[in-house]
Amino acid sequence: MTADGLTTPVPARGCALCAALGDFGRRDLAEPRSGLCPACIAAGKPTRDGMERAVVIVAGQSLAAAEALSLATAAPEELAYHLGAVKRSLRSVLQLLAPVGEVGR
């Protein structure tokens, strides 16, 4: 904390994506690749923000497909498939909201 009561950003002690040990600079939210190790940058791995957006897009598509299903005329297999898709989508979205480091609860 500084003299005026504000906190200063602390450099990350590892890769922001794969947690490889090392000092890879500060994590800047304006720069998607900041804080990543050279291996993650070279591999072109998606950033956490990109993965979150992808999960939300897929969840939205699953929900849209389930909403379009006519319950009166749907076969049991269709109902089971769409119910499973909605369950997986909801689980993915909830995992995004779970606090990091709370594994096993």
Side-chain angles (χ1 to χ4, degrees):
M1 196 173 280
T2 61
D4 60 0
L6 300 175
T7 59
T8 56
V10 177
R13 300 288 179 222
C15 179
L17 192 59
C18 72
L21 296 178
D23 187 9
F24 305 110
R26 295 182 186 265
R27 179 78 173 117
D28 180 11
L29 297 179
E31 174 57 42
R33 303 281 179 211
S34 65
L36 300 183
C37 68
C40 285
I41 293 172
K45 291 183 179 178
T47 61
R48 171 136 177 110
D49 297 335
M51 289 188 289
E52 288 175 353
R53 277 186 261 134
V55 166
V56 171
I57 288 169
V58 170
Q61 291 172 343
S62 296
L63 291 174
E67 287 176 351
L69 183 67
S70 172
L71 297 177
T73 60
E77 297 84 19
E78 289 178 298
L79 291 173
Y81 171 80
H82 285 290
L83 181 61
V86 169
K87 177 183 168 187
R88 286 188 300 275
S89 296
L90 181 59
R91 181 181 299 154
S92 298
V93 171
L94 290 176
Q95 285 174 343
L96 287 177
L97 301 176
V100 176
E102 296 280 331
V103 179
R105 282 191 166 193

